[in-house]
Amino acid sequence: MPGLPNTAPVLSTPDTHVFEEPTPAAISVTRRTPKEIFLTYEIERTLSEIRHGKWHRIALQFPDEMLPDAPRVFDALRDGLKTPLPQQRPSNLDRRTTDQVVDEMLDARPSMQDRRDTDQLVDKMLDLQFTSGTETSTEELPEARLYILADTSYGACCVDEIAAEHVDADVVVHYGRACLSPTARLPVIYVFTNQSLPLKPLLGAFRETYPGLEDKIILMADVTYSSHLTAFSNILADCGYSNTFAASIVHDPSSPLPNRTVPDEAKEDSEKLREWKLFHLADPPQSLLLTLSSRLSSIHIYPISQADPSRAHQTLLASTSLALRRRYALITSLSTVPIFGILINTLSVKNYLHIVEHVKAQILAAGKKSYTFVVGKVNAAKIANFSEVGGWVVIGCWESSLVESKDFWKPVITPFELELTLKGDEERVWTGEWRSDFQAILEGGPENGGYTGHKENVSDREEGLSHALDGGELDSEPESAPPEYDLRTGKYISYSRPMSNLEPEPRLITGGVRGTRRPNDGLVKRARGDLAIIGGEASPGADFLSSQRTWKGLGSDFEIAYDEDGVEANTSIEAGRSGIARGYQHRGDLERR
């Protein structure tokens, strides 16, 4: 596979890195004003939802770039939750917007310190938010406790339920970008931290990209800029654009536009989305681009970069043909792999256990072996420790499941790509469609690209075994199976399906019931060099360990001698190395002294 290393990577740190600083320099962050803290982190709405849910233990999850603001957000929420609810709204209090209240406070007390400023603003916000003109409950609730979650267990876009459960949290407030994958246990308050965006240069770039006023255009933005779409859509309508649709946020990764609404004409027939063009604010993740590439007519991106402002006035035409060809090359390179590794990269996304069992069943039905690994953040060094694994399948959220890096020794694919990998060469048809949400795979079935070989493979084995029990002969899988060749090299592969070459255990008929197995509770002496049997079946991983690994653990650098009766012979004890880590002394050095 071009771009992938031919040999296992060296996992040790080079000597030249000893005196280098491993931690990159911190990015300087401009300190936000109290007004920006309240508006960006939506303090008012967060307080309202916490009070409405009557939650007392609140976990605040911040991405790395927002951690400098975490203490101030913590103080604002804590002080706001301490403020008691008023019993009745004063009749002479005007309904004013949040911006007006904040501006009045800042103009009236310009010399206040940030902390006093924050307290005053919280009180004013609460007066505006929670006074509704009618009497409210004065029931005293337990004091709320807040916790800041900094280092996430998995990707920053996912809700870290594991860390939240360590503090026994009732709810998680997630700040910043989010994949909006459904969670399994805890309720979530999403705060997308609305970012500022000048609309004048955006309008100029849009009119330059779409001169035709009748074009069907979907307006879509990253969640941190989605609050600007409504105002921008109204501006476009005033300019004469009559067929624009501003997609709003929904919590549905399986939607034709992931986590977004679709035009009315495409709700019943998603194929009509191909008539629409997409204008996207901010750089979308690669998984979103690959998903939308086959569903829309074209995709233009309006990049928003703080580091390079010159990019903010030019739209880019998205092209995914090269990325899709690379993904298809990875799929074909794994068609003859005998061992797959399943990387569980989430413990919070709903139904992740179902897709793990689904993937295991697919791999087993194809006659291949799978091993399951639970990892946090995936990197090349972690998975390179298992050289017997020929390919990896990531089980995670729909954004983080796509792993593209030349540093990985073996390819890393998604559950959707695994389905194509396990199909035969005559069945594998690449249409250019790509999907990342595994929930759609579980609900899709064969008509939506689901794997169809599992039931056929199992039924064929059951039929052959039944024929053998009735007195017939069991077919030999290695002789009857067609030969397999590597599509890249043209070489014949004889060990691509290790689990299908094993003879099934005979089912004995006991008590007149067919299909029951007689338990085997006897001890069987395993001859030296035989393949290990784990859980009643052969282990290709153990075979790789015994035949190809050069280092197999402590004590593996010598061979145990056996006598004629198979009893371990006595061996002499030899002196090894001694000393400390900075300079070991070997036996030869001691003898010369």
Side-chain angles (χ1 to χ4, degrees):
M1 174 65 203
L4 292 176
N6 296 323
T7 59
V10 179
L11 302 182
S12 60
T13 304
D15 296 337
T16 56
H17 294 179
V18 173
F19 299 103
E20 293 183 3
E21 176 61 36
T23 304
I27 301 175
S28 59
V29 180
T30 304
R31 182 177 176 84
R32 300 179 187 269
T33 64
K35 177 181 177 180
E36 291 174 340
I37 290 291
F38 267 82
L39 297 182
T40 302
Y41 292 95
E42 303 183 45
I43 301 298
E44 180 184 0
R45 180 177 69 86
T46 305
L47 289 171
S48 175
E49 294 197 24
I50 291 175
R51 288 184 179 275
H52 184 268
K54 297 182 179 181
W55 294 305
H56 311 308
R57 301 178 69 88
I58 303 101
L60 311 178
Q61 180 180 339
F62 292 87
D64 293 344
E65 63 271 13
M66 295 182 182
L67 282 178
D69 293 334
R72 303 174 68 194
V73 175
F74 179 93
D75 290 339
L77 293 176
R78 181 194 57 190
D79 297 342
L81 291 172
K82 288 181 180 179
T83 304
L85 289 175
Q87 186 173 3
Q88 188 173 1
R89 176 183 176 180
S91 58
N92 59 351
L93 180 62
D94 298 330
R95 280 193 171 273
R96 290 167 290 182
T97 64
T98 303
D99 291 346
Q100 291 173 333
V101 174
V102 174
D103 290 336
E104 289 178 6
M105 291 299 304
L106 293 175
D107 294 340
R109 303 292 298 276
S111 61
M112 286 192 301
Q113 298 295 327
D114 287 347
R115 177 61 185 274
R116 294 185 58 198
D117 217 0
T118 303
D119 294 341
Q120 295 288 339
L121 286 172
V122 170
D123 295 339
K124 204 70 176 180
M125 294 294 182
L126 293 174
D127 289 342
L128 181 65
Q129 172 68 22
F130 299 112
T131 53
S132 57
T134 58
E135 293 187 357
T136 58
S137 173
T138 58
E139 178 185 359
E140 293 187 2
L141 299 176
E143 180 182 359
R145 302 195 62 178
L146 295 97
Y147 304 87
I148 296 178
L149 307 182
D151 187 19
T152 57
S153 302
Y154 300 98
C157 64
C158 299
V159 178
D160 195 352
E161 288 187 321
I162 304 302
E165 288 185 339
H166 288 169
V167 297
D168 196 21
D170 301 324
V171 64
V172 179
V173 183
H174 184 280
Y175 292 97
R177 287 201 69 261
C179 59
L180 299 179
S181 298
T183 55
R185 294 175 288 274
L186 294 178
V188 184
I189 300 175
Y190 288 101
V191 178
F192 299 132
T193 61
N194 301 324
Q195 305 295 322
S196 61
L197 177 67
L199 297 182
K200 186 176 181 180
L202 174 62
L203 177 61
F206 183 90
R207 300 179 73 171
E208 202 175 305
T209 305
Y210 303 105
L213 300 180
E214 301 297 328
D215 292 344
K216 293 184 176 181
I217 305 169
I218 296 177
L219 304 178
M220 189 172 171
D222 188 83
V223 291
T224 57
Y225 295 96
S226 58
S227 60
H228 301 283
L229 286 183
T230 301
F232 184 60
S233 177
N234 295 333
I235 294 175
L236 292 178
D238 296 337
C239 294
Y241 288 92
S242 57
N243 287 330
T244 59
F245 175 79
S248 57
I249 296 177
V250 293
H251 293 232
D252 184 13
S254 300
S255 173
L257 299 178
N259 292 322
R260 300 296 190 275
T261 56
V262 297
D264 293 336
E265 64 181 51
K267 290 182 179 179
E268 297 182 357
D269 185 8
S270 60
E271 291 295 326
K272 293 187 176 180
L273 273 178
R274 299 180 184 273
E275 303 174 3
W276 291 76
K277 302 175 182 179
L278 179 68
F279 185 77
H280 195 279
L281 303 184
D283 294 321
Q286 185 70 8
S287 58
L288 178 62
L289 272 182
L290 293 180
T291 302
L292 297 179
S293 61
S294 62
R295 303 181 183 181
L296 295 161
S297 173
S298 64
I299 302 175
H300 280 84
I301 301 172
Y302 181 79
I304 303 173
S305 175
Q306 303 295 336
D308 186 9
S310 61
R311 297 181 60 212
H313 302 282
Q314 303 174 356
T315 58
L316 305 175
L317 178 62
S319 176
T320 59
S321 58
L322 181 61
L324 288 174
R325 288 199 300 268
R326 184 167 57 249
R327 302 307 300 180
Y328 185 65
L330 291 178
I331 290 174
T332 55
S333 68
L334 294 177
S335 60
T336 56
V337 166
I339 303 176
F340 282 92
I342 302 175
L343 289 173
I344 301 180
N345 193 33
T346 179
L347 296 177
S348 302
V349 178
K350 189 177 181 180
N351 292 331
Y352 79 93
L353 288 177
H354 294 79
I355 191 64
V356 170
E357 295 301 324
H358 180 75
V359 168
K360 286 182 180 180
Q362 288 180 341
I363 296 175
L364 181 60
K368 301 175 184 291
K369 180 66 177 179
S370 65
Y371 294 96
T372 305
F373 304 83
V374 180
V375 296
K377 296 179 175 65
V378 180
N379 58 50
K382 288 181 181 179
I383 64 177
N385 287 288
F386 306 96
S387 54
E388 62 269 31
V389 176
W392 299 89
V393 185
V394 176
I395 307 297
C397 74
W398 68 277
E399 284 191 10
S400 62
S401 295
L402 179 61
V403 179
E404 286 192 311
S405 176
K406 296 180 180 180
D407 297 333
F408 290 93
W409 185 30
K410 298 299 175 62
V412 183
I413 61 175
T414 66
F416 168 73
E417 294 169 336
L418 176 69
E419 293 183 341
L420 295 176
T421 301
L422 297 180
K423 290 182 178 180
D425 296 337
E426 67 282 353
E427 300 176 356
R428 189 186 305 115
V429 178
W430 181 254
T431 62
E433 181 184 4
W434 194 89
R435 64 181 64 179
S436 56
D437 178 45
F438 63 72
Q439 188 64 36
I441 297 176
L442 291 175
E443 299 174 355
E447 65 276 6
N448 289 332
Y451 182 71
T452 59
H454 175 56
K455 292 184 178 180
E456 297 173 358
N457 200 342
V458 173
S459 61
D460 291 343
R461 292 184 183 181
E462 294 293 336
E463 182 179 354
L465 183 58
S466 176
H467 176 67
L469 290 174
D470 292 337
E473 295 183 356
L474 188 63
D475 292 337
S476 176
E477 180 68 20
E479 297 179 1
S480 60
E484 294 191 41
Y485 297 90
D486 191 329
L487 297 179
R488 301 168 300 156
T489 63
K491 295 181 179 180
Y492 171 69
I493 306 297
S494 61
Y495 195 64
S496 64
R497 303 179 186 273
M499 305 308 293
S500 62
N501 296 341
L502 302 175
E503 294 185 2
E505 297 182 11
R507 296 186 180 180
L508 301 180
I509 302 176
T510 59
V513 180
R514 170 172 293 186
T516 58
R517 297 183 181 181
R518 183 176 61 188
N520 183 6
D521 54 358
L523 296 178
V524 179
K525 182 179 178 179
R526 181 163 60 92
R528 186 174 175 218
D530 285 355
L531 191 64
I533 303 297
I534 301 177
E537 62 182 20
S539 174
D543 181 34
F544 185 94
L545 175 64
S546 62
S547 61
Q548 300 187 40
R549 275 192 182 269
T550 57
W551 189 82
K552 305 168 186 177
L554 295 176
S556 61
D557 54 349
F558 60 90
E559 295 185 0
I560 302 176
Y562 294 88
D563 57 18
E564 297 179 355
D565 298 330
V567 180
E568 182 178 342
N570 296 328
T571 57
S572 60
I573 300 177
E574 299 179 359
R577 292 184 295 178
S578 62
I580 59 177
R582 64 179 297 183
Y584 286 112
Q585 296 177 350
H586 296 268
R587 183 181 60 177
D589 299 335
L590 296 176
E591 291 177 352
R592 285 194 294 269
R593 292 183 182 179

